[in-house]
Amino acid sequence: MHQLAFIVTSGFSVGMAAWDIIASTMRPKRYSRDRFFKTDEDGGISRFKAQTSGMSQKEIDDDARAWLRERTVYTIIAFLCLAAIPAMFAFGIFSIFTLIALIVLALLLAAKAMKADFAYWQIRQGRFGPFADYLQHRLPYDMQIIRKD
């Protein structure tokens, strides 16, 4: 009986220690508005040049095409997920779980497409600009970000 109690208590303490490690690792970092708008003094040009110093212009262009292709694929698949919703209704195979799954999948693919477009934009700009600059460049003029300091 004492051995069983020892196994249970030691297993519980090991589990709690593992949980503390997992919880501290999974805890999100505090949001900082500075990271959204932060730029280097030169706008990220020197970091971009340092990162691509060993690459030829052809390799950089190939990377840009790869990001563009990835953006296109993710966008097309996201639209196909959304187009499948009315097709489900048309063929009478409606399921609320499938509807939710297709919408969530389309949103995740749209986020991946935006990430690929951001990388493509950075390569074409020749700098590691912040996400706010990307959005100001990509969004229509009537949807521009207004920064309040």
Side-chain angles (χ1 to χ4, degrees):
M1 196 61 149
H2 291 294
Q3 290 176 341
L4 180 63
F6 173 74
I7 291 171
V8 169
T9 56
S10 62
F12 183 75
S13 62
V14 168
M16 289 304 294
W19 176 254
D20 290 338
I21 293 170
I22 291 169
S24 67
T25 304
M26 300 282 292
R27 187 170 296 125
K29 297 176 184 171
R30 281 195 59 82
Y31 172 72
S32 171
R33 286 182 60 93
D34 295 338
R35 292 192 69 200
F36 188 72
F37 292 103
K38 184 179 180 181
T39 60
D40 298 334
E41 290 79 27
D42 63 348
I45 295 171
S46 61
R47 281 192 305 139
F48 184 83
K49 285 184 180 179
Q51 190 78 20
T52 59
S53 62
M55 298 174 71
S56 68
Q57 187 60 41
K58 183 184 179 320
E59 291 174 323
I60 293 172
D61 291 339
D62 288 344
D63 282 348
R65 277 192 297 280
W67 283 112
L68 185 61
R69 184 175 39 251
E70 187 174 325
R71 179 194 72 180
T72 304
V73 167
Y74 284 136
T75 304
I76 289 171
I77 295 173
F79 280 125
L80 288 176
C81 287
L82 293 177
I85 294 172
M88 275 188 351
F89 286 116
F91 292 115
I93 51 173
F94 173 75
S95 166
I96 191 71
F97 298 114
T98 308
L99 176 74
I100 291 170
L102 286 173
I103 291 172
V104 168
L105 183 61
L107 289 175
L108 291 174
L109 289 169
K112 292 285 285 180
M114 183 179 278
K115 177 188 175 280
D117 190 51
F118 179 54
Y120 173 74
W121 175 82
Q122 286 181 328
I123 292 173
R124 285 295 157 225
Q125 291 281 313
R127 66 187 183 101
F128 289 129
F131 195 66
D133 284 355
Y134 163 74
L135 289 178
Q136 286 180 344
H137 184 263
R138 289 292 198 206
L139 289 177
Y141 290 112
D142 58 347
M143 293 178 58
Q144 294 297 322
I145 298 171
I146 299 172
R147 183 175 176 190
K148 296 179 182 179
D149 290 327

